[in-house]
C-alpha cells in the first residue's frame, strides 16, 4: 500500500510544481483548516470530533477488537505484545499522514475542476477520486495503475483475512461449541467447520461491500456510522467493567442495549434524512457542469431533524457515553434493590491496579535504602 500511495504523492507533487505550490493551492482552497475549534456536533469534521472520535475508534481497534486480541494472544509473552503495539504506532501514524497528504495532492491537481461537479468525469462519489486521479495521471505508464490496484488489494486483504479469521473463531468458540453436536468434534472437523464459517462470512462481507457501494458517501463516514452503532456498546462495556467495580450484569445489558439503540437511531435517521454536508469551495472553471458548495454544517435539515446531522465522528463517543451512564444508573439501582455484592479483583479495575503498582514501586524504593 505504501508503494501505491507514495507513487501518487510523487506524481501529484511533481505535476503541481513542488510542495510550495501544492501548499499554496490547498491554502487558497481552504483545505488546511486544521483547527476548527467549534464544539458544535453538527459540524461534520472539527478538531474536537476528530480528536475524541478518533480516540474512541483507536481504543476499539487496539483494546477490544478480536483481531488484535488474537494477535496479542499469539505473542510469546506480554512484553512482546506491548512491544508490537509500540512498534505499530509509528507505522500507523506515517500511513495515515500519507493518506491525508494524498487528499491534498488530489485537490491541488484537480482544483481546476471538481470531478464530482463535472458530468463528463463519471465520478459519482468521493471513493472514486483516487482511482480517477491514478487513471488520469498514470494511464500512459504501463505498470503504475496495476501497482496501485495491487496496493489496494494487499491493504484490504491483509485486514479482511484477519477479520474473517477472528469472526470464524468467535462464532465457533462462543456459539457453536456450546451446542452438543459441535462439542464432540475432533480437530480436523473443527478446522473444516471454521473454514466453512469464514467462507460464509466472506460471502456476506462481499455482499455488504456491493451494498455499501450504492450509498454514495465516503468509506470513512460509512465506517464511523457503523462503528457508532455496533462497536460503541462494546467499548462502553469495556470501560464499565474496568473502571466501575460496582457495575453488575443488569447494568451491562441495559447500558449496551441503550448505546446500541441510540447509535442505530442516529445512524438510521441520518440514512433516511440524508443530511447534506456542503464542502469547502471548489473551482469549476474547467468543468462542463458547475455546482459550488460551501460551509461545514448540514443545510437541508431543520428543527428536531437536525439531530440526524450529528457528525459521524461523534456517533461512537455518544454510544459509549450512553452505555456508561445507563450502565452506572441501572447498576446502582439494582445493587440496592437486589442487595448485590460486587467482589471484584483489584487487578481488573484500572485505577486500583495502577495504585497497587505504584505502591509496590514505592515500597521497593524504600527497601533499597
Amino acid at each position: 500500500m505504501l508503494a501505491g500511495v507514495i507513487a501518487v504523492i510523487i506524481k501529484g507533487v511533481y505535476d503541481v510544481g513542488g510542495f510550495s505550490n501544492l501548499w499554496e493551492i490547498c491554502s487558497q482552497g481552504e483545505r488546511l483548516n486544521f483547527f476548527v475549534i467549534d464544539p458544535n456536533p453538527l459540524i461534520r469534521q472539527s478538531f474536537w470530533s476528530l480528536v475524541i472520535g478518533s480516540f474512541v475508534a483507536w481504543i476499539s481497534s487496539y483494546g477490544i477488537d478480536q483481531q488484535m486480541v488474537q494477535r496479542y494472544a499469539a505473542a510469546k509473552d506480554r512484553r512482546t505484545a506491548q512491544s508490537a503495539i509500540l512498534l505499530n504506532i509509528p507505522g500507523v501514524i506515517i500511513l495515515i499522514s500519507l493518506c491525508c497528504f494524498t487528499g491534498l495532492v488530489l485537490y491541488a491537481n484537480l482544483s481546476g475542476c471538481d470531478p464530482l461537479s463535472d458530468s463528463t468525469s463519471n465520478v459519482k462519489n468521493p471513493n472514486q477520486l483516487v482511482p480517477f486521479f491514478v487513471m488520469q495521471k498514470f494511464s500512459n505508464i504501463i505498470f503504475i495503475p496495476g501497482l496501485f490496484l495491487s496496493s489496494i488489494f494487499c491493504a484490504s486483504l491483509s485486514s479482511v483475512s484477519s477479520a474473517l479469521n477472528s469472526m470464524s473463531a468467535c462464532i465457533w468458540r462462543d456459539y457453536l461449541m456450546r451446542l452438543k453436536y459441535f462439542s464432540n468434534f475432533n480437530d480436523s472437523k473443527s478446522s473444516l467447520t471454521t473454514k466453512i464459517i469464514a467462507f460464509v462470512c466472506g460471502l456476506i462481507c462481499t455482499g455488504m461491500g456491493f451494498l455499501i457501494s450504492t450509498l454514495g458517501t465516503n468509506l470513512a463516514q460509512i465506517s464511523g456510522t457503523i462503528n457508532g452503532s455496533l462497536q460503541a456498546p462494546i467499548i462502553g462495556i469495556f470501560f464499565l467493567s474496568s473502571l466501575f467495580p460496582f457495575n453488575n450484569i443488569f447494568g451491562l445489558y441495559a447500558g449496551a442495549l441503550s448505546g446500541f439503540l441510540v447509535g442505530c437511531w442516529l445512524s438510521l435517521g441520518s440514512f433516511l434524512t440524508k443530511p447534506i454536508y456542503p464542502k469547502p469551495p471548489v473551482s469549476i472553471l474547467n468543468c462542463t457542469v458547475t455546482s459550488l458548495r460551501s460551509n461545514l454544517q448540514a443545510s437541508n435539515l431543520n428543527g428536531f431533524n437536525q439531530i440526524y446531522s450529528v457528525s459521524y465522528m461523534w456517533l461512537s463517543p455518544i454510544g459509549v457515553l450512553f452505555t456508561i451512564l445507563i450502565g452506572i444508573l441501572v447498576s446502582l439501582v439494582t445493587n440496592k434493590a437486589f442487595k448485590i455484592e460486587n467482589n471484584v479483583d483489584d487487578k481488573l479495575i484500572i485505577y486500583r491496579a495502577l495504585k497497587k503498582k505504584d505502591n509496590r514501586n514505592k515500597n521497593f524504593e524504600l527497601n533499597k535504602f
Side-chain angles (χ1 to χ4, degrees):
M1 182 176 179
L2 279 174
V5 172
I6 291 173
V8 169
I9 290 175
I10 292 174
K11 177 63 174 174
V13 172
Y14 176 80
D15 285 352
V16 298
F19 286 100
S20 58
N21 288 343
L22 181 144
W23 202 258
E24 181 65 24
I25 294 171
C26 292
S27 178
Q28 292 177 358
E30 301 180 15
R31 261 59 182 186
L32 300 177
N33 298 326
F34 296 110
F35 298 102
V36 180
I37 306 298
D38 190 344
N40 183 359
L42 303 183
I43 295 177
R44 185 170 178 270
Q45 289 178 335
S46 67
F47 175 82
W48 297 113
S49 67
L50 289 173
V51 170
I52 298 175
S54 298
F55 170 78
V56 174
W58 286 110
I59 283 288
S60 171
S61 296
Y62 282 101
I64 64 171
D65 189 84
Q66 177 66 20
Q67 302 175 64
M68 297 302 292
V69 171
Q70 286 187 198
R71 290 167 181 164
Y72 300 153
K76 181 175 64 175
D77 51 37
R78 186 174 65 178
R79 184 172 293 276
T80 303
Q82 292 171 339
S83 300
I85 297 174
L86 295 176
L87 291 172
N88 175 260
I89 291 173
V92 171
I93 292 174
I94 292 171
L95 181 59
I96 292 178
S97 299
L98 288 175
C99 290
C100 293
F101 191 74
T102 300
L104 297 180
V105 169
L106 260 64
Y107 174 75
N109 281 268
L110 303 175
S111 59
C113 175
D114 175 25
L116 292 170
S117 303
D118 187 2
S119 61
T120 63
S121 68
N122 293 322
V123 177
K124 303 303 180 184
N125 66 67
N127 301 314
Q128 299 173 335
L129 286 174
V130 177
F132 171 79
F133 175 82
V134 170
M135 295 309 300
Q136 184 185 68
K137 296 293 184 179
F138 296 106
S139 58
N140 296 326
I141 304 176
I142 296 175
F143 67 91
I144 294 297
L147 172 66
F148 178 76
L149 183 64
S150 64
S151 70
I152 293 177
F153 275 104
C154 288
S156 59
L157 288 176
S158 65
S159 300
V160 170
S161 60
S162 299
L164 293 177
N165 180 59
S166 62
M167 280 194 290
S168 175
C170 277
I171 293 173
W172 170 251
R173 196 66 163 163
D174 296 339
Y175 298 100
L176 296 185
M177 282 195 69
R178 296 174 182 271
L179 302 177
K180 186 177 180 180
Y181 176 77
F182 294 100
S183 62
N184 296 322
F185 273 20
N186 55 30
D187 290 344
S188 60
K189 286 186 177 181
S190 299
S191 177
L192 178 61
T193 304
T194 55
K195 290 175 182 177
I196 294 173
I197 296 171
F199 176 73
V200 173
C201 289
L203 292 178
I204 295 173
C205 290
T206 302
M208 291 295 294
F210 283 107
L211 176 63
I212 289 174
S213 67
T214 64
L215 298 181
T217 187
N218 65 68
L219 292 177
Q221 181 170 342
I222 294 172
S223 175
T225 302
I226 294 174
N227 289 341
S229 54
L230 298 181
Q231 286 192 342
I234 304 175
I235 304 170
I237 289 174
F238 174 80
F239 282 122
L240 272 173
S241 303
S242 59
L243 293 176
F244 304 98
F246 56 82
N247 179 62
N248 60 44
I249 191 66
F250 301 106
L252 285 177
Y253 278 121
L257 181 61
S258 63
F260 174 73
L261 291 177
V262 169
C264 287
W265 167 50
L266 293 176
S267 300
L268 184 60
S270 176
F271 176 75
L272 294 176
T273 57
K274 300 186 185 308
I276 299 174
Y277 293 97
K279 308 253 185 328
V282 293
S283 175
I284 39 76
L285 293 176
N286 302 323
C287 289
T288 304
V289 179
T290 63
S291 178
L292 284 176
R293 296 163 289 175
S294 59
N295 299 324
L296 296 173
Q297 186 174 322
S299 58
N300 65 323
L301 299 180
N302 298 303
F304 182 79
N305 282 342
Q306 279 192 317
I307 195 172
Y308 300 125
S309 64
V310 169
S311 170
Y312 67 95
M313 295 298 295
W314 282 112
L315 293 182
S316 286
I318 290 173
V320 172
L321 182 63
F322 267 88
T323 300
I324 293 175
L325 292 180
I326 299 299
I328 290 174
L329 180 62
V330 172
S331 293
L332 291 174
V333 172
T334 53
N335 282 342
K336 187 174 182 179
F338 300 110
K339 297 181 180 180
I340 299 174
E341 295 183 2
N342 296 292
N343 299 316
V344 181
D345 191 338
D346 287 347
K347 292 186 296 183
L348 302 178
I349 307 299
I350 293 176
Y351 61 88
R352 290 182 178 177
L354 293 175
K355 187 176 180 180
K356 278 193 171 184
K357 184 177 180 180
D358 184 54
N359 290 336
R360 285 198 300 269
N361 291 337
K362 289 180 179 179
N363 292 333
F364 178 77
E365 292 294 331
L366 290 174
N367 292 331
K368 285 172 60 177
F369 294 100

